[in-house]
Amino acid sequence: MASARVLRATTGEVITMDPATLNHREYAILCAVAQGRGELLAGCEPDLSVDGGWCDHTAVTHLVGGGWICSARPARVGDRVPARLTDAARDALAPHHPQSA
């Protein structure tokens, strides 16, 4: 799988996004988000629901903090908004996951 390097806007650090580092749970979450089935709950800590059920908090924190998932639009605290793959995540996953492209 390909990896992507991105600049994290919040800290200014460059991070490498490598799909080979994802576990099965994280990969399944990314697939669901790519299919438009995820919603983020806006707040200080990321929470994600897929098909109405809440996802593993540790996995979601890793995916949001690692630059894989973001909200589809700005939101106020407490709003539920569609989740989407970041452009860098889409690029990193595209060679082996055509649904994310």
Side-chain angles (χ1 to χ4, degrees):
M1 292 187 182
S3 63
R5 294 177 56 82
V6 297
L7 178 65
R8 186 179 288 171
T10 55
T11 63
E13 70 180 305
V14 175
I15 56 174
T16 300
M17 299 170 58
D18 184 355
T21 65
L22 300 172
N23 63 40
H24 292 288
R25 179 175 294 174
E26 292 165 341
Y27 193 75
I29 290 170
L30 291 175
C31 289
V33 169
Q35 294 167 0
R37 298 170 32 219
E39 281 187 315
L40 282 168
L41 177 64
C44 60
E45 290 289 326
D47 283 310
L48 177 78
S49 68
V50 170
D51 300 333
W54 294 106
C55 297
D56 176 75
H57 185 73
T58 302
V60 172
T61 299
H62 178 249
L63 293 171
V64 172
W68 295 92
I69 297 174
C70 64
S71 63
R73 60 179 168 78
R76 292 179 299 214
V77 173
D79 286 350
R80 289 176 73 158
V81 295
R84 70 172 186 85
L85 296 182
T86 63
D87 293 338
R90 202 172 294 285
D91 291 346
L93 294 170
H96 298 283
H97 195 262
Q99 298 93 321
S100 69

